[in-house]
Amino acid sequence: MSRRRRTGTRHETSAPSGAPDWLTSEVEALLEEWRPSDRKLLGELLEDARTELQREMIHRVVVARHACAEVHAFADTIRALDDEALYQQCTIDPRRTDVPVTARFRAEADPLYAMELNGHLLPPSDDDPGPVYGVVPRARPAFRAPPALLLPPEPPRVGAPPKPSFDSESSSARARPLATHLELGASGEDVPSVRRSPTARASGADAGANVEALNEALRGLGLSFRDHEVDTRELPLEHALELAAQALQNGIPVPVTLGREKGDRGRQVLMLQVTPPGRTRAFQLHDPFAHETVWAHEKDLLSRAELPFDHKQWRRITAIALPNHPKRR
Amino acid sequence: MPAAGRSPLSAPFAHRELNGEILLEELADLREADVRQRQLEECAAALKSLSGLRATEAMAKLRQLASGRFQSQPALAGLLLRWAAKLRTDADVTALAQHFRQLAIVGALIGVLRRGDRVVGGALR
């Protein structure tokens, strides 16, 4: 089943008339960054929504800066729910003690995140390999809060806790989405609110799982990759770049992981090209999440201090997936 | 980077962004047209057999593929025809086959990366 739809119907992508002003303006601002086709799809999803609550939830997911594909999956998932079930799935039970405060705040602003915390996962993928950007399904990791952020079993309260309500949006007690959600709970290794790549965990098991996904997707093309941490005794960054250049010269793009410091696995990008031998070497990097493509001089990569992406938090290459047979065509 | 053959590459195939920005734009267009990864891989495999053909022969073969095997995918067929019209030298043929192979590889890689981030991080943007 392909979730993508194309019809010639009306496409209204503004916030619902009853939505608070901040939500309306946030949605409108964000939609300017979306591709026209994605805006059109959102309009269709809003049209298909059966209740005002469903429409508001979809807008909240947009405001939480989820990708169009996620908004699509979310809208498809909630369409069958009545308002009560939707409210329950998107609300964190106040009695739960395994959800840290930061995650709780984020969940109030981001229904999709709340659904995931409540164990309602969006369908991972279909049997069909999907469009060109089709992907390999992976199981989502269970949420585990870091001990330091856990609530006490019986939190002291003064009076009854306010019941979260999506109808009381204008209330000042309602959590508002922050300008960026990336830092919510970012201090914890296990808090899933931090944007991370599949190999984002320090454990080699996760890295291996991602390379398995890569290899599964590339099996038809006769390619396989192996994940390597760089700046280790076995693989200094200088040597990793040399191997990457060899692969690129043979027409094989190279996935690399960027991070703030050694060992940090922040975001995966693709090395697409390298300049021909004989000149100062530069690598072309593509960030599929920010849709940003840059050329980076080798010396800038080796400085391990800054990369030419807009997001300056990813300073250096921390891991690389090298093809097992870089010279194989 | 496309490998140079005996004859020089013509301008479109010597373009620095052939397997960079141009490839990404093509990929986005194919994605927009719901072209499947499997079809892209089939196309790359079909073009692999072009290597060694003369430009005129490859041009005819590309047109045949566009009007036959990939007729049901207008976006992919259109891409084949656009590139067919740009073939000038024999070296272009090899570069084009390599370009489509890279198109398929990058499509697969980006798909995995994007899903991976969504699965773990819960947010793409």
Side-chain angles (χ1 to χ4, degrees), chain A residues 4 35 37 66-67 70 124 128 132-133 135 140 192 195-196 198 251 268 273 284 288 295 329, chain B residues 16-17 27 32 34-37 98 101-102 110-111 113-118 121-122 124-125:
Chain A
R4 188 171 292 273
R35 297 152 60 109
S37 57
H66 285 284
E70 286 186 300
D128 192 302
V132 169
Y133 280 61
V135 289
R140 288 166 186 243
R195 176 204 294 279
R196 277 183 272 188
Q268 285 207 323
Q273 298 191 97
Q284 188 174 41
W295 281 94
R329 290 259 178 167
Chain B
R16 179 170 109 144
E17 294 296 339
L27 205 51
E32 188 71 19
D34 276 346
V35 172
R36 310 279 148 170
Q37 175 65 28
Q98 179 59 27
R101 176 170 160 77
Q102 274 187 253
I110 288 179
L113 297 191
R114 288 175 67 92
R115 170 58 61 93
D117 191 81
R118 188 176 80 85
L124 281 172
R125 296 182 185 194

mmCIF file of all heavy atoms in Angstrom, chain A residues 4 35 37 66-67 70 124 128 132-133 135 140 192 195-196 198 251 268 273 284 288 295 329, chain B residues 16-17 27 32 34-37 98 101-102 110-111 113-118 121-122 124-125:
data_model
loop_
_atom_site.group_PDB
_atom_site.id
_atom_site.type_symbol
_atom_site.label_atom_id
_atom_site.label_comp_id
_atom_site.label_asym_id
_atom_site.label_seq_id
_atom_site.Cartn_x
_atom_site.Cartn_y
_atom_site.Cartn_z
ATOM 1 N N ARG A 4 1.085 7.548 -0.427
ATOM 2 C CA ARG A 4 1.026 8.790 -1.197
ATOM 3 C C ARG A 4 -0.262 8.833 -2.008
ATOM 4 O O ARG A 4 -0.714 7.863 -2.559
ATOM 5 C CB ARG A 4 2.218 8.864 -2.133
ATOM 6 C CG ARG A 4 2.349 10.192 -2.821
ATOM 7 C CD ARG A 4 3.654 10.230 -3.522
ATOM 8 N NE ARG A 4 4.746 10.261 -2.585
ATOM 9 C CZ ARG A 4 5.230 11.379 -2.069
ATOM 10 N NH1 ARG A 4 4.728 12.522 -2.416
ATOM 11 N NH2 ARG A 4 6.222 11.335 -1.227
ATOM 12 N N ARG A 35 7.558 21.393 0.423
ATOM 13 C CA ARG A 35 7.406 21.348 -1.039
ATOM 14 C C ARG A 35 5.924 21.490 -1.379
ATOM 15 O O ARG A 35 5.074 21.072 -0.598
ATOM 16 C CB ARG A 35 7.901 19.997 -1.564
ATOM 17 C CG ARG A 35 9.363 19.754 -1.319
ATOM 18 C CD ARG A 35 9.640 18.273 -1.217
ATOM 19 N NE ARG A 35 9.272 17.568 -2.420
ATOM 20 C CZ ARG A 35 10.158 17.044 -3.269
ATOM 21 N NH1 ARG A 35 11.444 17.164 -3.024
ATOM 22 N NH2 ARG A 35 9.779 16.399 -4.338
ATOM 23 N N SER A 37 4.100 19.812 -3.307
ATOM 24 C CA SER A 37 3.399 18.523 -3.307
ATOM 25 C C SER A 37 3.091 18.071 -1.882
ATOM 26 O O SER A 37 2.055 17.457 -1.625
ATOM 27 C CB SER A 37 4.253 17.474 -4.014
ATOM 28 O OG SER A 37 5.516 17.378 -3.388
ATOM 29 N N HIS A 66 7.656 17.377 12.283
ATOM 30 C CA HIS A 66 7.810 16.044 11.719
ATOM 31 C C HIS A 66 7.786 16.152 10.197
ATOM 32 O O HIS A 66 7.199 17.086 9.639
ATOM 33 C CB HIS A 66 6.688 15.120 12.184
ATOM 34 C CG HIS A 66 6.848 14.684 13.610
ATOM 35 N ND1 HIS A 66 7.755 13.720 13.977
ATOM 36 C CD2 HIS A 66 6.263 15.106 14.744
ATOM 37 C CE1 HIS A 66 7.691 13.557 15.287
ATOM 38 N NE2 HIS A 66 6.801 14.389 15.789
ATOM 39 N N ALA A 67 8.394 15.196 9.558
ATOM 40 C CA ALA A 67 8.429 15.180 8.095
ATOM 41 C C ALA A 67 7.039 14.877 7.547
ATOM 42 O O ALA A 67 6.193 14.307 8.240
ATOM 43 C CB ALA A 67 9.409 14.122 7.616
ATOM 44 N N GLU A 70 5.857 11.406 7.926
ATOM 45 C CA GLU A 70 5.388 11.053 9.268
ATOM 46 C C GLU A 70 4.002 11.615 9.537
ATOM 47 O O GLU A 70 3.160 10.964 10.155
ATOM 48 C CB GLU A 70 6.385 11.583 10.302
ATOM 49 C CG GLU A 70 7.658 10.792 10.356
ATOM 50 C CD GLU A 70 8.544 11.261 11.488
ATOM 51 O OE1 GLU A 70 8.925 12.434 11.487
ATOM 52 O OE2 GLU A 70 8.833 10.458 12.371
ATOM 53 N N PRO A 124 5.424 0.723 10.169
ATOM 54 C CA PRO A 124 6.775 0.993 9.712
ATOM 55 C C PRO A 124 6.901 1.101 8.211
ATOM 56 O O PRO A 124 7.526 1.992 7.702
ATOM 57 C CB PRO A 124 7.585 -0.183 10.252
ATOM 58 C CG PRO A 124 6.596 -1.263 10.503
ATOM 59 C CD PRO A 124 5.291 -0.595 10.775
ATOM 60 N N ASP A 128 5.349 -3.319 -0.286
ATOM 61 C CA ASP A 128 5.913 -2.668 -1.462
ATOM 62 C C ASP A 128 7.172 -1.918 -1.039
ATOM 63 O O ASP A 128 7.198 -1.285 0.014
ATOM 64 C CB ASP A 128 4.872 -1.674 -1.996
ATOM 65 C CG ASP A 128 5.253 -1.168 -3.352
ATOM 66 O OD1 ASP A 128 6.337 -0.603 -3.475
ATOM 67 O OD2 ASP A 128 4.475 -1.353 -4.268
ATOM 68 N N VAL A 132 11.177 5.839 -4.603
ATOM 69 C CA VAL A 132 12.629 5.784 -4.709
ATOM 70 C C VAL A 132 13.298 5.908 -3.351
ATOM 71 O O VAL A 132 14.305 5.287 -3.090
ATOM 72 C CB VAL A 132 13.098 6.892 -5.653
ATOM 73 C CG1 VAL A 132 14.590 7.052 -5.579
ATOM 74 C CG2 VAL A 132 12.681 6.540 -7.066
ATOM 75 N N TYR A 133 12.697 6.672 -2.469
ATOM 76 C CA TYR A 133 13.258 6.822 -1.146
ATOM 77 C C TYR A 133 12.762 5.706 -0.229
ATOM 78 O O TYR A 133 12.838 5.808 0.963
ATOM 79 C CB TYR A 133 12.867 8.165 -0.542
ATOM 80 C CG TYR A 133 13.692 9.320 -1.016
ATOM 81 C CD1 TYR A 133 13.720 9.676 -2.343
ATOM 82 C CD2 TYR A 133 14.449 10.049 -0.136
ATOM 83 C CE1 TYR A 133 14.469 10.743 -2.782
ATOM 84 C CE2 TYR A 133 15.200 11.120 -0.553
ATOM 85 C CZ TYR A 133 15.213 11.470 -1.883
ATOM 86 O OH TYR A 133 15.951 12.518 -2.307
ATOM 87 N N VAL A 135 12.246 2.472 1.999
ATOM 88 C CA VAL A 135 13.155 2.178 3.085
ATOM 89 C C VAL A 135 12.955 0.793 3.639
ATOM 90 O O VAL A 135 11.956 0.136 3.358
ATOM 91 C CB VAL A 135 12.945 3.195 4.200
ATOM 92 C CG1 VAL A 135 13.468 4.528 3.758
ATOM 93 C CG2 VAL A 135 11.488 3.292 4.524
ATOM 94 N N ARG A 140 11.124 -0.266 16.252
ATOM 95 C CA ARG A 140 11.482 0.884 17.062
ATOM 96 C C ARG A 140 11.974 0.434 18.430
ATOM 97 O O ARG A 140 11.445 -0.500 19.010
ATOM 98 C CB ARG A 140 10.268 1.783 17.256
ATOM 99 C CG ARG A 140 9.901 2.508 16.009
ATOM 100 C CD ARG A 140 8.527 3.089 16.153
ATOM 101 N NE ARG A 140 8.161 3.659 14.882
ATOM 102 C CZ ARG A 140 7.924 4.946 14.717
ATOM 103 N NH1 ARG A 140 8.007 5.769 15.716
ATOM 104 N NH2 ARG A 140 7.602 5.395 13.538
ATOM 105 N N PRO A 192 14.564 9.418 23.664
ATOM 106 C CA PRO A 192 14.486 9.354 22.213
ATOM 107 C C PRO A 192 14.130 10.669 21.560
ATOM 108 O O PRO A 192 13.873 10.701 20.385
ATOM 109 C CB PRO A 192 13.389 8.318 21.986
ATOM 110 C CG PRO A 192 12.524 8.429 23.170
ATOM 111 C CD PRO A 192 13.405 8.819 24.309
ATOM 112 N N ARG A 195 17.423 13.924 18.048
ATOM 113 C CA ARG A 195 17.504 13.404 16.694
ATOM 114 C C ARG A 195 18.801 12.623 16.554
ATOM 115 O O ARG A 195 19.877 13.118 16.782
ATOM 116 C CB ARG A 195 17.521 14.550 15.703
ATOM 117 C CG ARG A 195 17.710 14.053 14.304
ATOM 118 C CD ARG A 195 18.283 15.150 13.505
ATOM 119 N NE ARG A 195 17.352 16.238 13.387
ATOM 120 C CZ ARG A 195 16.365 16.268 12.517
ATOM 121 N NH1 ARG A 195 16.211 15.286 11.687
ATOM 122 N NH2 ARG A 195 15.557 17.281 12.461
ATOM 123 N N ARG A 196 18.663 11.392 16.204
ATOM 124 C CA ARG A 196 19.854 10.574 16.025
ATOM 125 C C ARG A 196 19.691 9.663 14.840
ATOM 126 O O ARG A 196 18.575 9.328 14.450
ATOM 127 C CB ARG A 196 20.100 9.751 17.273
ATOM 128 C CG ARG A 196 20.840 10.551 18.325
ATOM 129 C CD ARG A 196 21.121 9.697 19.490
ATOM 130 N NE ARG A 196 20.005 9.722 20.424
ATOM 131 C CZ ARG A 196 20.057 9.173 21.604
ATOM 132 N NH1 ARG A 196 21.126 8.589 22.001
ATOM 133 N NH2 ARG A 196 19.031 9.208 22.398
ATOM 134 N N PRO A 198 20.302 5.950 12.909
ATOM 135 C CA PRO A 198 20.149 4.590 13.399
ATOM 136 C C PRO A 198 21.390 4.120 14.136
ATOM 137 O O PRO A 198 21.322 3.236 14.965
ATOM 138 C CB PRO A 198 19.944 3.767 12.134
ATOM 139 C CG PRO A 198 19.532 4.739 11.108
ATOM 140 C CD PRO A 198 20.126 6.044 11.482
ATOM 141 N N GLY A 251 32.463 5.213 -8.044
ATOM 142 C CA GLY A 251 31.028 5.429 -8.203
ATOM 143 C C GLY A 251 30.173 4.902 -7.069
ATOM 144 O O GLY A 251 28.990 4.672 -7.253
ATOM 145 N N GLN A 268 23.427 11.035 10.045
ATOM 146 C CA GLN A 268 24.031 10.355 8.905
ATOM 147 C C GLN A 268 23.808 11.161 7.637
ATOM 148 O O GLN A 268 22.699 11.624 7.372
ATOM 149 C CB GLN A 268 23.437 8.962 8.751
ATOM 150 C CG GLN A 268 23.981 8.007 9.788
ATOM 151 C CD GLN A 268 23.957 6.575 9.319
ATOM 152 O OE1 GLN A 268 23.039 6.156 8.639
ATOM 153 N NE2 GLN A 268 24.971 5.822 9.680
ATOM 154 N N GLN A 273 30.348 12.578 -3.918
ATOM 155 C CA GLN A 273 31.393 12.701 -4.933
ATOM 156 C C GLN A 273 32.686 13.164 -4.276
ATOM 157 O O GLN A 273 32.680 13.716 -3.172
ATOM 158 C CB GLN A 273 31.008 13.747 -5.983
ATOM 159 C CG GLN A 273 29.772 13.443 -6.771
ATOM 160 C CD GLN A 273 29.634 14.387 -7.956
ATOM 161 O OE1 GLN A 273 30.009 14.044 -9.066
ATOM 162 N NE2 GLN A 273 29.122 15.572 -7.710
ATOM 163 N N GLN A 284 31.846 15.942 -1.662
ATOM 164 C CA GLN A 284 30.497 16.482 -1.667
ATOM 165 C C GLN A 284 29.649 15.680 -0.692
ATOM 166 O O GLN A 284 29.569 14.453 -0.780
ATOM 167 C CB GLN A 284 29.874 16.402 -3.065
ATOM 168 C CG GLN A 284 28.543 17.128 -3.153
ATOM 169 C CD GLN A 284 28.002 17.174 -4.564
ATOM 170 O OE1 GLN A 284 28.087 16.200 -5.295
ATOM 171 N NE2 GLN A 284 27.463 18.316 -4.962
ATOM 172 N N PRO A 288 20.311 14.245 3.810
ATOM 173 C CA PRO A 288 18.968 13.973 3.305
ATOM 174 C C PRO A 288 17.862 14.495 4.216
ATOM 175 O O PRO A 288 16.711 14.530 3.812
ATOM 176 C CB PRO A 288 18.924 12.441 3.217
ATOM 177 C CG PRO A 288 19.941 11.966 4.172
ATOM 178 C CD PRO A 288 20.992 13.031 4.270
ATOM 179 N N TRP A 295 30.014 21.124 -0.595
ATOM 180 C CA TRP A 295 31.341 20.606 -0.864
ATOM 181 C C TRP A 295 32.210 20.965 0.333
ATOM 182 O O TRP A 295 32.197 22.118 0.780
ATOM 183 C CB TRP A 295 31.921 21.226 -2.138
ATOM 184 C CG TRP A 295 31.401 20.610 -3.402
ATOM 185 C CD1 TRP A 295 30.348 21.048 -4.144
ATOM 186 C CD2 TRP A 295 31.920 19.445 -4.073
ATOM 187 N NE1 TRP A 295 30.165 20.222 -5.238
ATOM 188 C CE2 TRP A 295 31.120 19.238 -5.219
ATOM 189 C CE3 TRP A 295 32.973 18.571 -3.819
ATOM 190 C CZ2 TRP A 295 31.341 18.189 -6.113
ATOM 191 C CZ3 TRP A 295 33.189 17.523 -4.712
ATOM 192 C CH2 TRP A 295 32.388 17.333 -5.831
ATOM 193 N N ARG A 329 32.258 -2.756 -9.415
ATOM 194 C CA ARG A 329 31.284 -1.932 -10.107
ATOM 195 C C ARG A 329 29.918 -2.580 -10.085
ATOM 196 O O ARG A 329 29.833 -3.754 -10.286
ATOM 197 C CB ARG A 329 31.695 -1.749 -11.552
ATOM 198 C CG ARG A 329 32.909 -0.882 -11.658
ATOM 199 C CD ARG A 329 32.536 0.505 -12.042
ATOM 200 N NE ARG A 329 33.712 1.358 -12.092
ATOM 201 C CZ ARG A 329 33.682 2.554 -12.645
ATOM 202 N NH1 ARG A 329 32.590 3.019 -13.147
ATOM 203 N NH2 ARG A 329 34.754 3.306 -12.668
ATOM 204 N N ARG B 16 30.306 18.757 -13.358
ATOM 205 C CA ARG B 16 30.752 18.420 -12.006
ATOM 206 C C ARG B 16 29.612 17.882 -11.145
ATOM 207 O O ARG B 16 29.827 17.065 -10.248
ATOM 208 C CB ARG B 16 31.348 19.676 -11.348
ATOM 209 C CG ARG B 16 31.824 19.464 -9.934
ATOM 210 C CD ARG B 16 32.601 20.657 -9.451
ATOM 211 N NE ARG B 16 31.857 21.403 -8.457
ATOM 212 C CZ ARG B 16 32.424 21.993 -7.410
ATOM 213 N NH1 ARG B 16 33.716 21.960 -7.245
ATOM 214 N NH2 ARG B 16 31.710 22.655 -6.557
ATOM 215 N N GLU B 17 28.408 18.351 -11.407
ATOM 216 C CA GLU B 17 27.293 17.950 -10.549
ATOM 217 C C GLU B 17 26.478 16.790 -11.121
ATOM 218 O O GLU B 17 25.371 16.538 -10.679
ATOM 219 C CB GLU B 17 26.381 19.155 -10.290
ATOM 220 C CG GLU B 17 27.032 20.260 -9.476
ATOM 221 C CD GLU B 17 27.402 19.818 -8.061
ATOM 222 O OE1 GLU B 17 26.829 18.831 -7.572
ATOM 223 O OE2 GLU B 17 28.295 20.450 -7.464
ATOM 224 N N LEU B 27 16.443 12.293 -8.651
ATOM 225 C CA LEU B 27 15.896 11.385 -7.643
ATOM 226 C C LEU B 27 14.621 11.963 -7.033
ATOM 227 O O LEU B 27 13.625 11.250 -6.833
ATOM 228 C CB LEU B 27 16.961 11.161 -6.560
ATOM 229 C CG LEU B 27 16.898 9.888 -5.743
ATOM 230 C CD1 LEU B 27 16.805 8.662 -6.615
ATOM 231 C CD2 LEU B 27 18.125 9.807 -4.841
ATOM 232 N N GLU B 32 8.845 11.933 -6.631
ATOM 233 C CA GLU B 32 7.577 12.656 -6.791
ATOM 234 C C GLU B 32 6.630 11.875 -7.687
ATOM 235 O O GLU B 32 5.412 11.885 -7.494
ATOM 236 C CB GLU B 32 7.891 14.021 -7.406
ATOM 237 C CG GLU B 32 6.728 14.969 -7.470
ATOM 238 C CD GLU B 32 6.331 15.480 -6.098
ATOM 239 O OE1 GLU B 32 7.135 15.395 -5.155
ATOM 240 O OE2 GLU B 32 5.208 15.931 -5.985
ATOM 241 N N ASP B 34 6.434 8.743 -7.889
ATOM 242 C CA ASP B 34 6.193 7.415 -7.303
ATOM 243 C C ASP B 34 6.930 6.290 -8.018
ATOM 244 O O ASP B 34 6.437 5.163 -8.092
ATOM 245 C CB ASP B 34 4.699 7.091 -7.264
ATOM 246 C CG ASP B 34 4.042 7.675 -6.038
ATOM 247 O OD1 ASP B 34 4.778 8.079 -5.120
ATOM 248 O OD2 ASP B 34 2.803 7.724 -5.990
ATOM 249 N N VAL B 35 8.072 6.591 -8.561
ATOM 250 C CA VAL B 35 8.893 5.523 -9.148
ATOM 251 C C VAL B 35 9.487 4.710 -7.997
ATOM 252 O O VAL B 35 9.970 5.269 -7.017
ATOM 253 C CB VAL B 35 10.015 6.114 -10.022
ATOM 254 C CG1 VAL B 35 10.981 5.036 -10.480
ATOM 255 C CG2 VAL B 35 9.410 6.812 -11.224
ATOM 256 N N ARG B 36 9.399 3.421 -8.124
ATOM 257 C CA ARG B 36 9.852 2.542 -7.043
ATOM 258 C C ARG B 36 11.344 2.286 -7.124
ATOM 259 O O ARG B 36 11.924 2.285 -8.215
ATOM 260 C CB ARG B 36 9.125 1.197 -7.119
ATOM 261 C CG ARG B 36 7.640 1.322 -7.230
ATOM 262 C CD ARG B 36 7.061 1.550 -5.877
ATOM 263 N NE ARG B 36 5.877 2.377 -5.968
ATOM 264 C CZ ARG B 36 5.043 2.599 -4.959
ATOM 265 N NH1 ARG B 36 5.285 2.070 -3.798
ATOM 266 N NH2 ARG B 36 4.000 3.359 -5.108
ATOM 267 N N GLN B 37 11.905 2.033 -5.972
ATOM 268 C CA GLN B 37 13.334 1.725 -5.914
ATOM 269 C C GLN B 37 13.656 0.518 -6.787
ATOM 270 O O GLN B 37 14.670 0.477 -7.477
ATOM 271 C CB GLN B 37 13.747 1.476 -4.459
ATOM 272 C CG GLN B 37 15.184 1.036 -4.268
ATOM 273 C CD GLN B 37 16.173 2.111 -4.670
ATOM 274 O OE1 GLN B 37 15.885 3.299 -4.606
ATOM 275 N NE2 GLN B 37 17.367 1.697 -5.090
ATOM 276 N N GLN B 98 26.865 4.485 -15.481
ATOM 277 C CA GLN B 98 27.348 4.704 -14.114
ATOM 278 C C GLN B 98 26.431 5.671 -13.369
ATOM 279 O O GLN B 98 26.147 5.510 -12.186
ATOM 280 C CB GLN B 98 28.774 5.255 -14.154
ATOM 281 C CG GLN B 98 29.386 5.545 -12.798
ATOM 282 C CD GLN B 98 29.456 4.311 -11.908
ATOM 283 O OE1 GLN B 98 29.530 3.185 -12.402
ATOM 284 N NE2 GLN B 98 29.406 4.530 -10.609
ATOM 285 N N ARG B 101 23.403 3.867 -12.218
ATOM 286 C CA ARG B 101 23.745 2.976 -11.103
ATOM 287 C C ARG B 101 23.845 3.792 -9.808
ATOM 288 O O ARG B 101 23.336 3.394 -8.765
ATOM 289 C CB ARG B 101 25.061 2.263 -11.397
ATOM 290 C CG ARG B 101 25.541 1.382 -10.253
ATOM 291 C CD ARG B 101 26.702 0.517 -10.673
ATOM 292 N NE ARG B 101 27.476 0.019 -9.550
ATOM 293 C CZ ARG B 101 27.106 -0.989 -8.765
ATOM 294 N NH1 ARG B 101 25.965 -1.588 -8.980
ATOM 295 N NH2 ARG B 101 27.873 -1.386 -7.769
ATOM 296 N N GLN B 102 24.481 4.946 -9.908
ATOM 297 C CA GLN B 102 24.595 5.789 -8.708
ATOM 298 C C GLN B 102 23.232 6.308 -8.273
ATOM 299 O O GLN B 102 22.965 6.459 -7.081
ATOM 300 C CB GLN B 102 25.559 6.951 -8.960
ATOM 301 C CG GLN B 102 26.983 6.531 -8.677
ATOM 302 C CD GLN B 102 27.975 7.671 -8.730
ATOM 303 O OE1 GLN B 102 28.747 7.752 -9.662
ATOM 304 N NE2 GLN B 102 27.964 8.543 -7.747
ATOM 305 N N ILE B 110 19.556 6.761 0.733
ATOM 306 C CA ILE B 110 18.780 7.827 1.357
ATOM 307 C C ILE B 110 17.522 7.253 2.004
ATOM 308 O O ILE B 110 17.123 7.659 3.091
ATOM 309 C CB ILE B 110 18.424 8.916 0.322
ATOM 310 C CG1 ILE B 110 19.683 9.713 -0.030
ATOM 311 C CG2 ILE B 110 17.356 9.854 0.866
ATOM 312 C CD1 ILE B 110 19.470 10.802 -1.049
ATOM 313 N N GLY B 111 16.934 6.274 1.349
ATOM 314 C CA GLY B 111 15.756 5.646 1.937
ATOM 315 C C GLY B 111 16.056 5.043 3.302
ATOM 316 O O GLY B 111 15.316 5.243 4.254
ATOM 317 N N LEU B 113 18.585 5.771 5.303
ATOM 318 C CA LEU B 113 18.971 6.803 6.274
ATOM 319 C C LEU B 113 17.745 7.522 6.812
ATOM 320 O O LEU B 113 17.632 7.769 8.014
ATOM 321 C CB LEU B 113 19.924 7.819 5.634
ATOM 322 C CG LEU B 113 21.274 7.290 5.145
ATOM 323 C CD1 LEU B 113 22.207 8.441 4.800
ATOM 324 C CD2 LEU B 113 21.930 6.407 6.187
ATOM 325 N N ARG B 114 16.836 7.848 5.919
ATOM 326 C CA ARG B 114 15.665 8.597 6.366
ATOM 327 C C ARG B 114 14.811 7.760 7.301
ATOM 328 O O ARG B 114 14.339 8.241 8.322
ATOM 329 C CB ARG B 114 14.848 9.072 5.174
ATOM 330 C CG ARG B 114 15.527 10.200 4.421
ATOM 331 C CD ARG B 114 14.760 10.563 3.189
ATOM 332 N NE ARG B 114 13.495 11.153 3.498
ATOM 333 C CZ ARG B 114 13.281 12.467 3.626
ATOM 334 N NH1 ARG B 114 14.275 13.294 3.477
ATOM 335 N NH2 ARG B 114 12.106 12.938 3.903
ATOM 336 N N ARG B 115 14.586 6.532 6.966
ATOM 337 C CA ARG B 115 13.788 5.694 7.840
ATOM 338 C C ARG B 115 14.514 5.441 9.156
ATOM 339 O O ARG B 115 13.901 5.451 10.217
ATOM 340 C CB ARG B 115 13.441 4.374 7.165
ATOM 341 C CG ARG B 115 12.816 3.321 8.092
ATOM 342 C CD ARG B 115 11.545 3.796 8.751
ATOM 343 N NE ARG B 115 10.529 4.118 7.779
ATOM 344 C CZ ARG B 115 9.614 3.261 7.376
ATOM 345 N NH1 ARG B 115 9.594 2.051 7.868
ATOM 346 N NH2 ARG B 115 8.705 3.622 6.494
ATOM 347 N N GLY B 116 15.771 5.269 9.074
ATOM 348 C CA GLY B 116 16.533 5.027 10.296
ATOM 349 C C GLY B 116 16.403 6.163 11.259
ATOM 350 O O GLY B 116 16.180 5.975 12.454
ATOM 351 N N ASP B 117 16.477 7.378 10.758
ATOM 352 C CA ASP B 117 16.377 8.526 11.642
ATOM 353 C C ASP B 117 14.988 8.611 12.246
ATOM 354 O O ASP B 117 14.816 8.898 13.400
ATOM 355 C CB ASP B 117 16.678 9.801 10.860
ATOM 356 C CG ASP B 117 16.857 10.981 11.795
ATOM 357 O OD1 ASP B 117 17.946 11.102 12.344
ATOM 358 O OD2 ASP B 117 15.899 11.731 11.995
ATOM 359 N N ARG B 118 13.992 8.331 11.421
ATOM 360 C CA ARG B 118 12.626 8.416 11.920
ATOM 361 C C ARG B 118 12.384 7.381 13.009
ATOM 362 O O ARG B 118 11.769 7.656 14.023
ATOM 363 C CB ARG B 118 11.646 8.186 10.775
ATOM 364 C CG ARG B 118 10.217 8.448 11.147
ATOM 365 C CD ARG B 118 9.319 8.295 9.955
ATOM 366 N NE ARG B 118 9.025 6.911 9.669
ATOM 367 C CZ ARG B 118 8.058 6.216 10.244
ATOM 368 N NH1 ARG B 118 7.317 6.776 11.155
ATOM 369 N NH2 ARG B 118 7.831 4.968 9.920
ATOM 370 N N GLY B 121 15.005 8.497 16.083
ATOM 371 C CA GLY B 121 14.902 9.845 16.626
ATOM 372 C C GLY B 121 13.479 10.346 16.743
ATOM 373 O O GLY B 121 13.192 11.218 17.531
ATOM 374 N N GLY B 122 12.594 9.798 15.941
ATOM 375 C CA GLY B 122 11.219 10.233 15.994
ATOM 376 C C GLY B 122 10.965 11.534 15.264
ATOM 377 O O GLY B 122 9.889 12.072 15.280
ATOM 378 N N LEU B 124 12.253 14.013 11.733
ATOM 379 C CA LEU B 124 13.125 14.104 10.570
ATOM 380 C C LEU B 124 13.677 15.491 10.385
ATOM 381 O O LEU B 124 14.709 15.673 9.782
ATOM 382 C CB LEU B 124 12.347 13.711 9.306
ATOM 383 C CG LEU B 124 12.163 12.227 9.085
ATOM 384 C CD1 LEU B 124 11.234 12.000 7.930
ATOM 385 C CD2 LEU B 124 13.481 11.548 8.814
ATOM 386 N N ARG B 125 12.979 16.510 10.795
ATOM 387 C CA ARG B 125 13.411 17.859 10.446
ATOM 388 C C ARG B 125 13.798 18.645 11.674
ATOM 389 O O ARG B 125 13.286 18.406 12.722
ATOM 390 C CB ARG B 125 12.292 18.576 9.728
ATOM 391 C CG ARG B 125 12.004 17.886 8.442
ATOM 392 C CD ARG B 125 10.940 18.592 7.673
ATOM 393 N NE ARG B 125 10.644 17.810 6.503
ATOM 394 C CZ ARG B 125 9.964 18.256 5.485
ATOM 395 N NH1 ARG B 125 9.528 19.465 5.444
ATOM 396 N NH2 ARG B 125 9.722 17.492 4.465
#
